Amino acid sequence: MTDSMHAISDDARVVVDEVLDYARRRALYEDIPLDKPLTPRDLSRLASGSISARGIGARRATALWENVLAPACVTTDHPAYLSFIPSAPTKAAIAFDLVVSASAIYGGSWKEGSGAVFAENEVLHWLAAEFGLPAGAGGVFMQGGTIGNLSALVTARDAARRRNRELGRPDPARWIVVCSAEAHSSIASAAAVMDVDVVTAAPGADGRLRGDAVTAALEAHEGAVFAVVATGGTTNFGIVDDIASVAAATKAKDIWLHVDGAYGLAAMLVERMRPAFAGVELADSLIVDPHKWLFAPFDACALIYREPALALAAHTQKAEYLDTLTDTADWNPSDLGIQLTRRARGLPLWFSLATYGTDEYRAAIEYGIDLARAAADEIEARPGLSLVREPQLSVVVFRRDGWTLADYQAWSDRLLEDQQGFVVPSSHAGEPVLRFAIISPLTTIDTLTGILDTLG
Ligand SMILES: Cc1ncc(COP(=O)(O)O)c(C=O)c1O
């Protein structure tokens, strides 16, 4: 029977039930363990041999996953996972992610996925309005911030090349993107892929990039800069650049402004935080990652353009078999970034927003900002601990007096081994530091003080 993997049969029902039962258990698990990595050697011993000519069956495969492989994956939405940028998908978003798979939705073209594309666009237009972009703004959910930044910068360079052609100006020998020294590593990565140069403009002592530094860079490299990147919440500290003055500098020279808000731009949904992001409304493109602070599962980046037509011009793939899609005025998400086939990865966020309403989102984000403040006060009050910087969003960076990187690492390893928390060391200006990145509304001040207590 060659169709046994696809046909609806009693066997198929057993397989689907097996997997959905596990997914249900996992999604509704209370007191979920933090878990930890195993060594390749241990995993080889415990879990190899699952790929065979005849298969091991859904029951055994699920058991292998549940009992051996899943516990070897750190739970990124655990309340005590405070490293990198954690995840904290809502129950509605997690559940709907299963629907996206079950429905075999194609999210690349309007013709094939209009309902899904419409729902994704509802979210993108809501976000664009929150960020103050004009009504014509639009975009696409990409895989993640790295690909979102790359796609935006490719559009920016394409627009600069077209402008040069229109004006009869030559392109520079080397194109340049300007960003802060504190910008995310994905900007340098995008530049490497695009074979363009990065010029870093020095941020102020407070870590914020300002317009004067950008103007200096633009004047030093007149005619070569195709985009400036401002960061709406740096990863290490949660610092928001002075986007208004950066925007003024780019507008004065007619240069593309991209705002990388992968982590932090979600904070703009909180009314009192909006002034910190003034100038975002002037962006030519921006990103914010739902899998970070918008409580969606991995992986999704909302990439939004002020003028989506410029992205279409840069990204639409041309092929005879695609003409039927691309030679129309349809809104085809594939054509706005670096991809062709695409999962409708914005749908879990759409479903969750539709389920709970935007107020819940605003409150959950504000909770993280307030908790970071409370954690900072707690750190300041403890002898031997000090803040490296006052938190602006939901990242708290601090030091334990006298500790070396090796001390931090040994403490971090022990914390995970004891299943109390996942807090890895970072560094700033050559100094090893600790960092709480708070995303989950289930993280409490007790979670954090419990961890601080272990710092002795
Ligand atoms: C500011 C910023 N930009 C870009 C990225 C890259 O996003 P992703 O990991 O989704 O590729 C991150 C990731 O943490 C980030 O914090």
Side-chain angles (χ1 to χ4, degrees):
M1 279 281 284
T2 53
D3 63 353
S4 62
M5 293 195 298
H6 295 91
I8 295 174
S9 62
D10 286 350
D11 277 358
R13 287 193 185 87
V14 169
V15 170
V16 171
D17 285 349
E18 190 75 45
V19 174
L20 291 187
D21 282 353
Y22 168 69
R24 191 170 189 287
R25 267 197 314 284
R26 178 62 181 80
L28 297 176
Y29 203 147
E30 289 188 41
D31 299 326
I32 189 86
L34 186 52
D35 289 325
K36 56 188 175 190
L38 292 183
T39 61
R41 191 193 167 105
D42 284 344
L43 280 172
S44 298
R45 187 169 49 81
L46 296 168
S48 54
S50 54
I51 306 303
S52 61
R54 301 182 66 82
I56 59 171
R59 182 152 298 147
R60 279 183 62 199
T62 306
L64 179 63
W65 174 256
E66 180 167 7
N67 300 323
V68 181
L69 298 170
C73 302
V74 181
T75 304
T76 63
D77 61 348
H78 190 283
Y81 182 116
L82 300 160
S83 294
F84 312 115
I85 304 287
S87 81
T90 67
K91 296 301 178 208
I94 291 169
F96 206 75
D97 205 36
L98 299 176
V99 174
V100 178
S101 291
S103 316
I105 300 285
Y106 181 72
S109 76
W110 184 266
K111 185 170 277 177
E112 292 152 287
S114 63
V117 176
F118 179 86
E120 288 188 312
N121 283 347
E122 290 271 285
V123 180
L124 291 165
H125 293 151
W126 171 68
L127 287 172
E130 287 288 328
F131 302 146
L133 292 176
V140 56
F141 287 96
M142 301 293 296
Q143 176 269 326
T146 299
I147 300 294
N149 281 334
L150 174 61
S151 297
L153 292 178
V154 165
T155 302
R157 182 179 58 180
D158 188 70
R161 279 181 176 148
R162 282 170 203 279
R163 173 76 60 83
N164 277 352
R165 247 173 274 147
E166 277 162 27
L167 298 175
R169 283 190 313 220
D171 286 345
R174 298 284 302 167
W175 285 106
I176 287 173
V177 56
V178 171
C179 63
S180 159
E182 299 278 341
H184 188 261
S185 49
S186 56
I187 303 302
S189 162
V193 172
M194 295 169 68
D195 191 25
V196 301
D197 294 331
V198 178
V199 167
T200 50
D206 57 1
R208 301 177 74 204
L209 180 65
R210 292 195 166 69
D212 49 0
V214 170
T215 300
L218 295 181
E219 284 173 356
H221 303 279
E222 197 82 48
V225 179
F226 68 93
V228 173
V229 179
T231 308
T234 59
T235 322
N236 218 10
F237 280 101
I239 296 167
V240 181
D241 285 339
D242 180 355
I243 301 171
S245 71
V246 172
T250 58
K251 298 303 143 191
K253 299 273 187 193
D254 208 7
I255 304 285
W256 186 284
L257 172 63
H258 175 66
V259 176
D260 176 1
Y263 151 60
L265 203 49
M268 227 183 141
L269 298 177
V270 176
E271 187 64 35
R272 71 179 158 94
M273 298 303 292
R274 298 183 74 84
F277 293 89
V280 164
E281 70 282 1
L282 298 170
D284 295 291
S285 57
L286 60 80
I287 64 159
V288 60
D289 280 1
H291 65 218
K292 295 189 166 71
W293 215 359
L294 288 172
F295 314 116
F298 300 136
D299 41 25
C301 160
L303 163 62
I304 304 179
Y305 298 98
R306 169 177 296 273
E307 287 183 55
L310 297 173
L312 292 178
H315 289 292
T316 303
Q317 293 188 25
K318 296 284 181 199
E320 287 162 344
Y321 82 104
L322 294 174
D323 287 347
T324 185
L325 300 175
T326 51
D327 287 353
T328 68
D330 286 349
W331 183 270
N332 296 322
S334 284
D335 299 342
L336 294 158
I338 299 158
Q339 63 194 344
L340 183 59
T341 298
R342 74 173 286 273
R343 180 178 178 83
R345 49 179 22 96
L347 285 184
L349 176 58
W350 163 76
F351 183 76
S352 184
L353 279 167
T355 299
Y356 301 119
T358 55
D359 284 355
E360 293 264 8
Y361 274 73
R362 296 184 206 282
I365 296 164
E366 187 162 30
Y367 173 83
I369 296 167
D370 291 344
L371 184 55
R373 183 65 260 163
D377 292 343
E378 182 69 32
I379 287 163
E380 284 293 73
R382 289 182 179 228
L385 299 183
S386 55
L387 287 179
V388 176
R389 204 168 252 165
E390 293 294 327
Q392 197 181 355
L393 300 178
S394 68
V395 176
V396 187
V397 183
F398 58 103
R399 58 174 77 81
R400 164 77 166 75
D401 292 347
W403 273 20
T404 63
L405 181 57
D407 295 324
Y408 285 118
Q409 191 60 60
W411 168 84
S412 170
D413 292 345
R414 206 164 43 246
L415 199 72
L416 185 61
E417 193 56 39
D418 295 347
Q419 292 287 281
Q420 190 175 352
F422 186 55
V423 182
V424 295
S426 181
S427 68
H428 175 63
E431 179 196 3
V433 293
L434 285 179
R435 184 176 162 274
F436 288 159
I438 300 164
I439 296 287
S440 173
L442 301 180
T443 305
T444 64
I445 192 67
D446 287 346
T447 318
L448 303 178
T449 53
I451 292 172
L452 292 176
D453 288 345
T454 68
L455 283 163

